Structure formats: C-alpha cells, structure tokens
Amino acid sequence: MTTNILYGKQLSSDIKNALSLCAMIVTDENVAKLYPELAINAFVIPAGEDSKNQQTLFSVLAEMDSRGLKRTDKIAALGGGVVGDIVGLAASLYMRGIDWIVIPTTLLAMVDSSIGGKTSINFNGAKNLVGAFHAPERVIISYDFLETLYEEDWLCGYGELIKTCLLTEKSYTMLTENLESIIQYDRDALYTLIEKCIEIKKAVVQADPKDKRLRKLLNVGHTVGHALEAIDGYKSTHGEYVLKGIMTECTMCKDLMDESFYNQVISICKRFVSPPRTSSGSVIKRAARDKKNDGQTITVMLPVSAGEIIEVRLFQQDFTERYDLAIKELKKA
C-alpha cells in the first residue's frame, strides 16, 4: 500500500477531518493534555519508551474490541514514535489487519518513525524485537506541533534528522550549512531539513518496503545506538543514542572513512551528545541479539563519505577490539 504523506503548516482542518473518519484514536498522556481538542474520546496510553511493551499493545487491542471495531474501520495514532509503533502493530494484528493513519507530534516521528510502516514493541529487553510491516494509509505531518516540544524532544529528533542527512550528498551539505541555525531552533532551516528527510525516507522505503536491501541505509548509528539504549533502560532519548552510535561506529571504522568527513561527523555529534562510557562486553551482548545480525558477525552501516554508506560485518572479537579503542579515543578527544 502506498502511503499518502501530507506535510506543512496550518493543517488543523486536514487533521480534524482525518480523525473524524477513524473509529478510534490512540494518543499518550502528554499529547492528550496539550491537544485535548484532538484527543476527544481517545484511548490514552502512558507516555514514554517504557510503555512500548506487550501490555500496552494488548490494552489497545482490547479497547479496539470493546469499541466494536470492524475490519473496515480505521484507527489513528496521534503522538510520537511510541504511539505510532504500538498503534501500527495493533492495526496489523486486529482482524488480521485494518487501516490506520498517523499524525506525528514529535520531530523524531516526523522525520523517521511515521514513514515506512515499521511497527513494533520492545520485548525481553530487546529494542523493536516484535513487530510487523504495516504501512499507514495516511501520514499528516504538521509543523505546528513542534511549538510544544520540550528541549529533550528536539534533541531526540535531531539524532534521526542528522542520521538521515548523512545518506545523500545534497542533504549532508544542507545539514552542514544550516547546523548553527537548527541548533538555535531556526524554524525555516528546520522545515527545509524536515522536508528533505521526508523525501529521503519515502524514497528509500518505496524502493525497499520490507527492509531487505536499500533500507539498511537507515540503520546508520543504530547497531551501537540500540544496544546503549537497552543497556541504559531508555534513560535518554532515542535520538541521543543514535548520535552516540554514529560517533562510536564511525570511530570504530575510521580506517574505512574519508578523514575529513570523519572529523566533521564527530564534530557534529559532539555538538549534541557526549561519547558513551558503556563497556564493550555489555554492548556486544545486546548487539549480537539485534535482528539485523546473525550471531556470528555484527553489522554496522557506515557512512564513509557524504552520501556513501557501506555495510561492514565485524566478527565479535574484531567488534570488541574496535569498540574498546574507539571509546578510548573519544574519551581522550
């Protein structure tokens, strides 16, 4: 199914019309307080990564059944990435699949998680271990929601925005030229980069909807990032872990990268986060369990120059040695 993506400012009428066509709206506690006019009669779940679990998923499914939703009905996700992931997975499971729409309210969801149809929950300590591909019928991305974000929400979104901008030469140039502007939350610069990220993510997903080949590009920074996230118990935001993952993986494999590009990427990441201090033993246990890896080798999607991403497979011993050296180097710097 091809997803219809609408983005821009002043889309309140489009949002209200789309929600009116849905038999059920799901949102979280934070969004329900900020936008009560959109969350009328909504099913409200706890906010935060801790709620991305099987209990919350089944509470949504139980509510769908309680409200008598039919296979022809639609369900709406109004919120950030957690809400979208849970609602999308519930929609894929209920009566073997019903249509859903997503209205992202965070920068992270706008540039990444709302596009592509990956739905999931965390399970047994592993990030996104249980999930399905179930593309939303429609995505409505309204920049107006950005006005109510907290600083940590901006930082979370910047992680995925920066990652996406590494994927093409043009977007990377746009990022470096506008870096100071987005640090200062300049709206015009942000809107331009958001739209570029939407275009990139949409093109990648359309070319590889089931994550078999090209879509692996989107995993830059995520091998180490996901491991750190799970080890820390999601104390920081997803975007922060992605940036820590990018700087660590790039330093681990700097011998494969253009030197000038490497220095630029590390400098950008350090504007937002500090290097990780987690031991290689903890990281490798989590990374080996990641669904992208086969247990013998651990895959890193490495940006070697602007717009050029390669797949690097490391045996566990090599991964450990490179990780330890990278942490030492980043700590010294």
Side-chain angles (χ1 to χ4, degrees):
M1 180 177 70
T2 301
T3 301
N4 177 19
I5 303 176
L6 175 66
Y7 51 88
K9 295 184 66 178
Q10 299 177 342
L11 300 178
S12 58
S13 61
D14 298 274
I15 292 171
K16 289 177 181 178
N17 289 338
L19 292 176
S20 70
L21 298 176
C22 295
M24 179 173 156
I25 301 166
V26 179
T27 191
D28 68 26
E29 297 165 332
N30 293 339
V31 178
K33 291 176 183 177
L34 289 168
Y35 301 100
E37 72 281 5
L38 298 178
I40 297 171
N41 201 32
F43 183 67
V44 181
I45 65 174
E49 189 77 21
D50 286 344
S51 69
K52 192 175 166 180
N53 54 45
Q54 64 267 38
Q55 288 83 13
T56 308
L57 170 66
F58 277 91
S59 72
V60 173
L61 288 167
E63 184 69 14
M64 294 166 75
D65 179 53
S66 176
R67 297 194 187 196
L69 267 66
K70 305 179 292 296
R71 178 174 281 181
T72 54
D73 285 327
K74 297 177 186 176
I75 185 171
L78 174 67
V82 171
V83 173
D85 277 355
I86 292 172
V87 173
L89 184 54
S92 75
L93 295 170
Y94 189 78
M95 294 188 174
R96 297 194 178 94
I98 66 171
D99 288 340
W100 68 297
I101 69 168
V102 57
I103 299 166
T105 59
T106 65
L107 179 58
L108 169 66
M110 290 178 188
V111 300
D112 185 62
S113 62
S114 69
I115 304 168
K118 277 188 176 181
T119 70
S120 63
I121 57 170
N122 304 330
F123 187 73
N124 278 359
K127 177 87 170 179
N128 299 331
L129 186 64
V130 175
F133 290 97
H134 188 52
E137 179 187 75
R138 195 172 194 200
V139 181
I140 303 178
I141 299 172
S142 173
Y143 305 151
D144 296 333
F145 287 115
L146 298 175
E147 301 307 317
T148 57
L149 293 187
Y150 296 108
E151 185 174 354
E152 65 180 24
D153 297 317
W154 284 105
L155 182 56
C156 182
Y158 282 161
E160 288 289 355
L161 184 146
I162 289 168
K163 177 214 74 176
T164 304
C165 285
L166 297 176
L167 304 186
T168 73
E169 187 174 357
K170 183 176 181 179
S171 59
Y172 180 70
T173 300
M174 291 171 63
L175 171 66
T176 54
E177 289 178 347
N178 291 280
L179 184 62
E180 297 303 324
S181 295
I182 68 168
I183 288 173
Q184 298 300 320
Y185 307 111
D186 180 89
R187 296 302 191 262
D188 289 337
L190 276 165
Y191 299 158
T192 300
L193 283 171
I194 289 169
E195 290 176 9
K196 190 62 182 176
C197 288
I198 292 170
E199 292 172 8
I200 292 171
K201 180 81 184 274
K202 184 177 179 180
V204 170
V205 169
Q206 287 179 338
D208 183 16
K210 293 296 179 71
D211 203 7
K212 299 296 184 182
R213 303 172 306 279
L214 184 64
R215 194 162 173 169
K216 291 181 179 180
L217 298 176
L218 301 173
N219 291 326
V220 169
H222 280 60
T223 298
V224 170
H226 275 175
L228 295 173
E229 196 170 13
I231 292 164
D232 278 358
Y234 311 102
K235 291 178 183 176
S236 299
T237 68
H238 174 70
E240 289 174 87
Y241 289 113
V242 169
L243 290 173
K244 287 175 182 285
I246 291 172
M247 72 161 63
T248 305
E249 292 171 13
C250 286
T251 305
M252 289 170 64
C253 302
K254 63 183 296 186
D255 55 310
L256 304 175
M257 297 178 63
D258 174 82
E259 184 177 359
S260 175
F261 177 71
Y262 165 78
N263 290 329
Q264 281 185 323
V265 170
I266 298 302
S267 176
I268 290 170
C269 291
K270 285 186 174 181
R271 297 294 298 273
F272 300 95
V273 297
S274 59
R277 299 182 179 273
T278 310
S279 69
S280 57
S282 299
V283 169
I284 201 164
K285 286 179 182 178
R286 295 287 182 174
R289 291 185 62 200
D290 193 287
K291 57 188 178 298
K292 298 184 290 295
N293 301 313
D294 60 14
Q296 298 300 315
T297 61
I298 297 176
T299 299
V300 169
M301 298 306 298
L302 182 71
V304 295
S305 63
E308 183 183 0
I309 315 296
I310 64 171
E311 183 175 4
V312 180
R313 290 182 175 272
L314 301 170
F315 286 103
Q316 292 193 17
Q317 182 62 35
D318 190 19
F319 182 96
T320 299
E321 292 173 358
R322 285 175 177 266
Y323 179 89
D324 287 337
L325 288 172
I327 295 302
K328 288 180 181 179
E329 181 171 338
L330 289 168
K331 189 182 297 184
K332 286 179 182 178

